[in-house]
Amino acid sequence: MIGIRDLARHLDISIGTVSRALNDRADVNPLTRQRVREAAAKLGYSPNQSGRSLRRGRTDLIAMIVPSGSDNTLINTVFLSVLDGLKRRLGEHGLDLAIFLESGGNDRLGPLRRVTERGLADALIIADTEGVDPRVDYLGKLAKPFVAFGRTRRSARHAWVDPDFEAAVEGAVERLVALGHRRIGLALPDLSRNYLDLVATGYRRAMRTRGLPVDDCWDVRRPSGERGGLDAADALLGADPRPTAVLVSESMHAVALYRRLNEVGLRPGQDISILGLLPEARAEYLIPTLTTYQTNWTEIGERLAHAVTTEIAAAGTDREPEEATATKLARARVQYKMPVEFSPGESVNRSIA
């Protein structure tokens, strides 16, 4: 590849003329423009993207901030499916996607500040949202276009795309109750994530509306991963009385629960029913097959792309912050809950208790 100086030297014309020809300026002779373009194609000319971005006031880059710590639940096949839909739809708009990793520590603002303050992207997508997420306030004050992959407690104030966790929990409890289950437990990762609070709140609401008790011993949170799942299984099996069915959201918790049940001589799906709430693909290989609620993660990626391009168009990267803020307040943001669907398996059966 060669730069614009090399191209101008090869053609023996000024850099300014080459630049105007490549940008279709009307003050360049058509024959010269054609000559420049043919030489650029032949020699493999590559424009300086940093310089072009400075001149245009845009990078054509969308940054997605994702966690990379050992306890995160996002970087898995779910994330890859979301990424597939996201990058494909962004490409249709001439936009590229860049992934920036959080360290997994308590400072969730650090990576975000570096991306925004260096002007690396036109807009951002934040993931693994908390109920009160400092990143939302930070980006809101900057009037920076952004979308959240997941809701917060301030979701009315920003664009977001999220699975309908409430519908999944409601549907799961309803199905289990219809099969005679009255003691239904819940095992969740012990993380400060808004979707987990939605699941926990939905679980208690679904139980109460059906007149069923919610024993604190049936509602457990343990660390992510198999070790945490084993601890959760021990807590649930040690409850008196123990639940006849358990809801799980993390695949490794489901794996651990299967393992512990087999170790103590209980059969998943027979002695205790297990129902997964939007687990990622590793849960598909469990035997007996895991009964789940699922969603279309690839379409979620596409919806995120639509939301972020809408934010860019509405905010306008060339507006002053005050004008951009006024524009945002005057329009409706993309706020979308992705539907969920029941996926039958062999891990749920009629209660025998």
Side-chain angles (χ1 to χ4, degrees):
M1 291 185 181
I2 66 170
I4 193 169
R5 293 181 181 275
D6 299 317
L7 185 58
R9 189 179 302 113
H10 172 79
L11 293 168
D12 196 24
I13 57 179
S14 70
I15 294 175
T17 299
V18 172
S19 177
R20 291 195 300 275
L22 291 171
N23 287 283
D24 287 327
R25 294 282 293 272
D27 57 349
V28 178
N29 183 286
L31 293 177
T32 301
R33 186 184 299 114
Q34 181 179 354
R35 181 173 167 235
V36 169
R37 288 189 170 278
E38 289 176 352
K42 180 179 179 180
L43 298 174
Y45 163 72
S46 176
N48 185 308
Q49 293 299 327
S50 298
R52 292 188 69 190
S53 296
L54 288 172
R55 290 191 296 273
R56 295 165 62 236
R58 299 202 316 268
T59 65
D60 291 334
L61 193 69
I62 307 301
M64 188 171 189
I65 313 292
V66 298
S68 61
S70 59
D71 64 348
N72 81 81
T73 59
L74 187 63
I75 299 181
N76 48 38
T77 53
V78 164
F79 174 67
L80 294 177
S81 297
V82 172
L83 193 62
D84 181 56
L86 177 58
K87 66 181 181 180
R88 183 171 63 247
R89 190 54 57 88
L90 288 177
E92 294 173 0
H93 292 270
L95 299 171
D96 290 314
L97 179 67
I99 305 299
F100 293 85
L101 300 179
E102 290 181 354
S103 63
N106 294 325
D107 181 20
R108 306 201 76 192
L109 274 178
L112 187 63
R113 287 183 184 275
R114 288 190 287 274
V115 172
T116 54
E117 292 173 5
R118 294 171 184 173
L120 299 179
D122 295 333
L124 296 103
I125 300 172
I126 59 173
D128 237 18
T129 51
E130 301 177 19
V132 178
D133 201 308
R135 300 171 299 172
V136 169
D137 290 336
Y138 172 75
L139 292 170
K141 290 177 182 178
L142 290 181
K144 183 76 174 179
F146 80 97
V147 176
F149 175 20
R151 283 163 281 169
T152 69
R153 295 176 194 166
R154 299 178 179 178
S155 291
R157 298 169 52 183
H158 63 83
W160 54 265
V161 179
D162 205 19
D164 194 345
F165 290 103
E166 298 95 329
V169 177
E170 177 69 20
V173 172
E174 182 177 5
R175 286 182 178 275
L176 291 170
V177 170
L179 290 171
H181 293 278
R182 297 295 181 267
R183 303 194 305 271
I184 302 172
L186 175 68
L188 294 177
D190 187 16
L191 297 170
S192 298
R193 299 296 181 264
N194 193 61
Y195 83 93
L196 295 173
D197 294 338
L198 293 174
V199 169
T201 301
Y203 158 74
R204 289 181 172 266
R205 180 172 57 246
M207 295 286 284
R208 290 194 185 102
T209 57
R210 290 164 176 81
L212 299 177
V214 179
D215 191 317
D216 288 341
C217 294
W218 303 344
D219 185 357
V220 299
R221 288 204 180 193
R222 294 294 188 272
S224 295
E226 189 173 7
R227 181 67 260 170
L230 291 173
D231 290 344
D234 290 339
L236 291 166
L237 292 176
D240 186 17
R242 73 184 182 211
T244 62
V246 178
L247 306 179
V248 294
S249 70
E250 184 183 289
S251 292
M252 292 311 297
H253 277 190
V255 170
L257 184 53
Y258 269 57
R259 170 183 163 184
R260 187 63 90 217
L261 288 177
N262 285 313
E263 288 174 348
V264 299
L266 296 175
R267 297 164 298 172
Q270 296 295 324
D271 298 305
I272 294 183
S273 289
I274 304 171
L275 200 156
L277 302 171
L278 284 74
E280 50 106 356
R282 281 178 289 188
E284 295 177 2
Y285 302 103
L286 289 170
I287 299 176
T289 55
L290 184 65
T291 303
T292 64
Y293 273 83
Q294 294 289 356
T295 193
N296 189 328
W297 296 107
T298 302
E299 186 175 343
I300 284 180
E302 295 172 351
R303 296 274 181 172
L304 284 169
H306 169 66
V308 78
T309 53
T310 300
E311 289 293 303
I312 292 172
T317 54
D318 57 343
R319 293 191 179 106
E320 292 299 320
E322 295 80 4
E323 183 184 353
T325 301
T327 302
K328 284 187 175 183
L329 292 174
R331 64 178 170 82
R333 291 181 168 86
V334 174
Q335 298 173 340
Y336 183 75
K337 274 198 288 190
M338 189 71 200
V340 296
E341 293 184 356
F342 178 68
S343 179
E346 299 171 329
S347 66
V348 167
N349 281 288
R350 186 167 295 279
S351 173
I352 60 175

